[in-house]
Amino acid sequence: MEFYGTQLASRLMLGTAQYDSPALLAQSVEASKASVVTVSLRREAAGAQAGQAFWSLVKSLGVHILPNTAGCHGVREAVTTAHMAREVFGTDWVKLEVIGQGDLLQPDVFGLVEATRILTEDGFKVFPYTTEDLVTAERLLKAGAEVLMPWGAPIGSGRGLNNIFGLRALRAHFPTIPMVIDAGIGRPSHAAMAFELGFDAVLINTAVAKAGDPVRMGEAFRLACDAGLAGYAAQPIEERDMAVPSTPTLGLARGLAVE
Amino acid sequence: MTKPKILVRGAGVAGLVTAVSLADRGADITLYDRAGRIGAGASWQAGGMLTPWCEAEAAPEEVTRDSANSIAWWSAHVPSTTHNGSLVVAPARDTPELARFGRRTSHFETIQGPRIAALEPDLIGRFERALYFPSEAHVDARKALTTLAERLTAQGHTLILDGPESDNTHFDWIIDCTGIDAQDHDPDLKARLRCVRGEMLLLRCLDVTLHRPVRMLHPRIPIYIVPREDKVFMVGATMIESDDNRGMTVRSITDLLNAAYTLHPAFADAEILEANAGRRPAFDDNVPRIRHNGRHIALNGMYRHGFLLSPHRAQQICDIVFDTAA
């Protein structure tokens, strides 16, 4: 899989927030074999230099870093945060979040398109956190995004893939755009399903960080991603309304069981 | 055996508890703090919650295990220690957080509306369900630190808070409890210790009475409110991976006040007495460590468990000094 020309070994991406300790975060990333971690500049530190200790820990994980603009509610705020992140982490990747609604932490898709355009012009490689909406996806691609990150369900809700019809349609309309299901995944089976639908990667934070045993859950997600990916590649059977016996019924002594 | 002469550097909770524990065992203590007062670091902003079982929600097992005798230690040394348990609640929309908290902790009862009202009459009708940890306790952090310092002075030990550190060559042991400041004189800690910024508010609210610490769960902004004397409430605390040493931010004040208001609307009319920030020293597993090298012992990385874990770690230091390790 490739994002903006960078080859990645694993389809699993992990967020770095909410772990009980940095040590637990490091062990979970290791167990999950994630190839990318996201890190929030804004929530973790009040100033660019002040979070150095934590950011050094994140850098030492030895995986790609995708800084995010989590918690930004406006275009300007998100753009400023992205610039700060580029300085701190020395990467032009940015996971762009522009939040429009406090309760569902739903993306403000209008602000998102605008911020994507500005950041692309500034040389960023933008990973926009969006909904499954087709028109928004088209506008984001026009604005310069080459990767899309549609939600499965609201951030932290653990509800899985809320709108499978919509996600299928999105996948079908943009078959060559790398797409990451971001937000809402609560269980390994949700991640497997994302791959079965043909998505390229999943990004998970709360489901691992807040699990009873985050390290084991990291491993469980690694296995689920592999299973989903292999299942998609192996072309699943079509669904049917009627049962189809897997052993032939021809010649079954139909009358015998009955009196 | 002659009385060992011990210099304890740092008069925060780790230093004071260590000094008092060593004094209890017969040591001759000199306690020094370069800041010119006790509790100049993170401890002064602490909640003072003695809640070993609640802490299991986000701390490794050893934190709960090592804090088993903590409540008894504080009761023995600080008479104002309050044994009223603690309460954990969640707003209706965040009840999954309550289930998660209960799954990760022990020694609590799940209680319903009427029982909540009996324990905390001011919370009547506000929460349908709560977790009640009856064996937990709390202290007023600042008062407790002051009590320990007074105890040392009364017993004839030396507190140096207003001058340069005395010549340390004649001490049998030197114990470093300087928290985040230890980074200034220890290159190893400079690399391994980090700051977790915490911010807190002190409110005076005449219309609310609470008898025990109340934690209110939230996926992003969990808070606790600890009642102090005279209608004062300590509201804490943020957890930010940052060594930023500025005062409290508007965002954090807004978050904590919103949460306090959710717990009880009467907090809207509370007077804001203080808004403060502190930096918790922490290792990467958030567990405090003791290092021992010759006559030097260092205790650091208390994270948010200074009051909870200092008695245990001080006991370990006593075992090194008096060679009584099991």
Side-chain angles (χ1 to χ4, degrees), chain B residues 18 39 45 119 142 149 158 160 183 202 220 244 265 277 291 297 302:
Chain B
T18 301
Q45 323 301 350
L119 287 168
R142 295 175 185 182
T158 310
I160 305 175
Q183 286 184 322
L202 278 184
R220 278 171 297 120
D244 183 4
R291 287 176 314 153
I297 300 174
M302 301 310 294

Side-chain angles (χ1 to χ4, degrees), chain A residues 18 20-23 42-47 49-51 53-54 57 77 103 105 209-212, chain B residues 57-59 93 100 103-104 194 219-220 240-244 246 249 251 255 283-286 303:
Chain A
Q18 301 183 71
D20 288 348
S21 71
R42 199 156 168 285
R43 281 238 70 93
E44 305 298 346
Q49 294 312 311
F54 183 69
L57 278 160
E77 197 185 1
D103 278 340
L105 297 176
K210 290 288 188 188
Chain B
E57 185 258 335
R93 53 181 271 175
R100 179 179 185 276
R103 203 173 67 231
R104 297 173 65 92
R194 72 187 207 285
R220 278 171 297 120
I240 302 170
E241 291 284 348
S242 171
D243 63 7
D244 183 4
R246 295 178 305 161
T249 63
R251 179 200 311 282
D255 283 348
F283 292 107
D284 70 348
D285 58 359
N286 296 339
Y303 184 49

Side-chain angles (χ1 to χ4, degrees), chain B residues 28-42:
Chain B
D28 176 8
I29 300 293
T30 300
L31 178 64
Y32 167 76
D33 198 301
R34 71 174 183 185
R37 61 189 176 90
I38 63 163

Side-chain angles (χ1 to χ4, degrees), chain A residues 13-158:
Chain A
M13 304 160 78
L14 282 190
T16 54
Q18 301 183 71
Y19 284 86
D20 288 348
S21 71
L24 202 57
L25 161 66
Q27 291 163 29
S28 304
V29 170
E30 168 64 27
S32 75
K33 301 273 182 274
S35 55
V36 177
V37 294
T38 62
V39 53
S40 158
L41 210 64
R42 199 156 168 285
R43 281 238 70 93
E44 305 298 346
Q49 294 312 311
Q52 279 305 340
F54 183 69
W55 295 329
S56 299
L57 278 160
V58 172
K59 285 178 191 167
S60 72
L61 296 172
V63 296
H64 292 276
I65 294 175
L66 175 59
N68 67 49
T69 62
C72 289
H73 285 256
V75 172
R76 237 184 77 186
E77 197 185 1
V79 168
T80 308
T81 305
H83 277 275
M84 212 158 88
R86 181 156 70 179
E87 229 166 84
V88 171
F89 292 105
T91 174
D92 47 14
W93 283 14
V94 62
K95 184 194 146 191
L96 184 61
E97 280 185 31
V98 183
I99 298 301
Q101 211 278 336
D103 278 340
L104 294 179
L105 297 176
Q106 184 155 341
D108 166 4
V109 295
F110 304 96
L112 187 66
V113 171
E114 173 68 5
T116 299
R117 190 187 54 74
I118 294 170
L119 288 172
T120 304
E121 283 170 6
D122 286 346
F124 282 91
K125 291 166 173 143
V126 181
F127 296 62
Y129 166 60
T130 182
T131 67
E132 67 277 36
D133 185 77
L134 290 180
V135 182
T136 305
E138 204 169 290
R139 296 286 162 87
L140 288 169
L141 297 173
K142 254 191 205 152
E146 293 177 23
V147 176
L148 295 177
M149 302 186 88
W151 67 353
I155 296 171
S157 68

